[in-house]
């Protein structure tokens, strides 16, 4: 038999209680008895009789690495071996809260087998062990608990309106005029001050919080756009209608309620769907290709635009570009930084701009910080640009002041 199979004859002992253990087993055929020393130390008590497809021997893989009970064959038996490495890999890929729960349950079950009171989580015996031992347990517990608390903080923040939407202008390179804004979220934390999105968006993305947050963002962004537009008209600014770009993350993208919610929001404000651009990243599009195509079609039927964000940070596979009918390609800041290195950066940028135009997309370049970069990008044909040179993300009132003075 190979190393992943064990065959036992009737009465064979697979392992004894207290032995070191580093694999689990699945019963292919036969019956395995799980036995445990009686509290008096006399007769062995049969805890369970396991049959085909039952898994056992898993408890030694959490924490103490010793067998909580013995195992013996009640007849001929064939077992599949599940290695420690295999299970560790699966566990490491799972949520720390689930790992923590598993270890807690294992400890409690051990306590019950011993006839002892259930042990409290985290007070288990120390064993010299690497990956899944007590040190890892502490780490998972801390991670799990801090995550629970952080998610609770975010929920409270949403309820108490601690989030703020900032707006960064996007300018046309042809004449420098303002074309629209990207809405960027901030958390005005009562103690920590202004928290940037990288510190809370990834966490929000792990739960449905991002979807609720997204509804709030959409509402605030449409409200702001209608006020920007009112000002544009009132001041008779000689620029076309402004657009508002909204960032979408994976969960929002897969939320069937995304566009219906957007419809309802648009109906509340004097905003044309054509003025809304949804920013999605290429990794997100490729991860959920069918959903992407469906969403793009639904957007199109409403007139809502789609931008491919952060182009150049992922695989930037050119082969699928023509299959995604996006309106705008947003070139990542790394392209701008590469301009300073050598001439090839410039050539690559020029080629991508040309390709985007050939596919009917317009191009926004991100991260323009200097006049010189803006001049080069204009020369290379980028239609629009966004970056500190034109303006940092600012609160609505500040953006309104700047817009008011638009030449
Ligand atoms: P992003 O969508 O790529 O947004 C552009 C980021 O680049 C913003 O960072 C912006 O402040 C920054 N930036 C703009 N111009 C320049 C520049 O000239 N130089 C440099 N160095 N940086 C510049 P921010 O606001 O911290 O946002 C970071 C990321 O967080 C965003 O990247 C986006 O992925 C995510 N995010 C922000 N707001 C939202 C939101 O409302 N919803 C979702 N789902 N994600 C958001
Ligand atoms: P492990 O501790 O690695 O080795 C003994 C195995 O017996 C254990 O993993 C579980 O798979 C199983 N086991 C332990 N206690 C019980 C119980 N009370 N009931 C059924 N199975 C048990
Ligand atoms: Ca973006
Ligand atoms: Ca971007």
């Amino acid at each position: 038999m190979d190393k992943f199979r064990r065959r036992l004859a009737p009465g064979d002992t697979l392992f004894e209680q207290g032995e070191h253990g580093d694999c689990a087993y699945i019963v292919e055929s036969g019956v395995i008895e799980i036995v445990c020393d009686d509290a008096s130390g006399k007769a062995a008590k049969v805890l369970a009789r396991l049959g085909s497809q039952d898994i056992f021997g898993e408890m030694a893989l959490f924490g103490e690495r010793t067998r909580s009970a013995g195992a013996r064959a009640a007849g001929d038996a064939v077992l599949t071996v599940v290695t420690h490495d295999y299970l560790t890999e699966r566990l490491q890929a799972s949520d720390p809260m689930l790992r923590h729960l598993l270890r807690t349950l294992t400890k409690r079950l051990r306590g019950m087998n011993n006839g002892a009171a259930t042990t409290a989580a985290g007070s288990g015996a120390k064993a010299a062990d690497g990956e899944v031992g007590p040190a890892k347990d502490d780490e998972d517990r801390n991670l799990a608990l801090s995550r629970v608390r952080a998610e609770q903080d975010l929920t409270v923040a949403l309820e108490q309106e601690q989030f703020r939407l900032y707006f960064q202008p996007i300018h046309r390179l042809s004449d420098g005029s303002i074309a629209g804004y990207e809405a960027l979220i901030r958390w005005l934390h009562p103690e920590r001050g202004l928290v940037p999105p990288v510190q809370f968006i990834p966490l929000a993305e792990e739960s449905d919080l991002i979807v609720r947050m997204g509804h709030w963002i959409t509402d605030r962004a449409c409200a702001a756009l209608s006020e920007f537009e009112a000002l544009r008209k009132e001041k008779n600014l000689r620029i076309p209608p402004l657009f508002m770009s909204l960032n979408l993350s994976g969960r929002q993208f897969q939320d069937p309620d995304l566009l219906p919610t957007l419809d309802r929001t648009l109906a509340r404000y004097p905003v044309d769907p054509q003025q809304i651009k949804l920013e999605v990243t290429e990794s997100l599009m490729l991860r959920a290709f069918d959903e992407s195509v469906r969403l793009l079609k639904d957007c199109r039927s409403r007139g809502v635009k789609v931008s491919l964000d952060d182009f150049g940070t992922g695989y930037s596979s050119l082969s699928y570009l023509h299959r995604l009918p996006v309106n705008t390609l947003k070139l990542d800041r790394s392209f701008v930084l590469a301009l300073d290195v050598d001439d090839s950066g410039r050539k690559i940028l020029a080629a991508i701009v040309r390709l985007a135009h050939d596919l009917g997309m317009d191009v926004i370049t991100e991260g323009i910080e200097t006049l010189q970069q803006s001049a080069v990008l204009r020369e290379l044909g980028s239609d629009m640009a966004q970056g500190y040179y034109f303006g940092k993300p600012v609160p609505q009132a500040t953006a309104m002041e700047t817009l008011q003075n638009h030449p």
Side-chain angles (χ1 to χ4, degrees), residues 182 184 247 279 309-310 330 366:
E182 175 172 1
L184 295 159
N247 288 287
E279 297 197 357
D309 199 4
D310 299 344
K330 282 194 90 171
E366 290 190 277

Side-chain angles (χ1 to χ4, degrees), residues 8 11 18 30 38 46 53 75 89 91 124 154 174-175 230 249 256 269 310 325 347 361 365 382-383 389 395 403:
L8 301 177
D38 193 67
V46 177
Q53 306 306 320
E89 204 181 290
L91 281 173
L154 281 183
S174 54
D175 59 1
S249 62
Y269 300 100
D310 299 344
K347 285 181 182 151
M361 303 171 190
T365 310
S382 173
D383 304 276
Y389 170 67
L403 181 63

Side-chain angles (χ1 to χ4, degrees), residues 111-177:
M112 285 159 80
N113 279 357
N114 297 340
T118 56
T119 34
S123 61
K126 294 279 174 212
D129 185 37
E131 297 146 316
V132 288
K136 201 65 194 147
D137 192 3
D138 287 346
E139 197 183 309
D140 279 338
R141 186 177 56 234
N142 294 342
L143 206 61
L145 298 186
S146 66
R147 194 175 281 183
V148 170
R149 288 179 191 130
E151 278 193 23
Q152 289 168 348
D153 282 354
L154 281 183
T155 308
V156 170
L158 201 58
E159 283 160 4
Q160 299 188 350
E161 299 237 7
Q162 291 173 6
F163 294 109
R164 298 286 178 274
L165 214 49
Y166 275 40
F167 301 93
Q168 186 174 30
I170 298 173
H171 285 253
R172 287 184 196 83
L173 283 169
S174 54
D175 59 1
S177 65

Side-chain angles (χ1 to χ4, degrees), residues 245-267:
S245 279
L246 298 172
N247 288 287
L248 282 194
S249 62
R251 266 181 197 258
Q252 291 171 279
F253 198 52
Q254 281 160 38
D255 172 23
D257 213 28
L258 172 71
L259 290 176
T261 307
L262 182 59
D263 287 341
R264 285 195 296 276
T265 310
L266 286 171

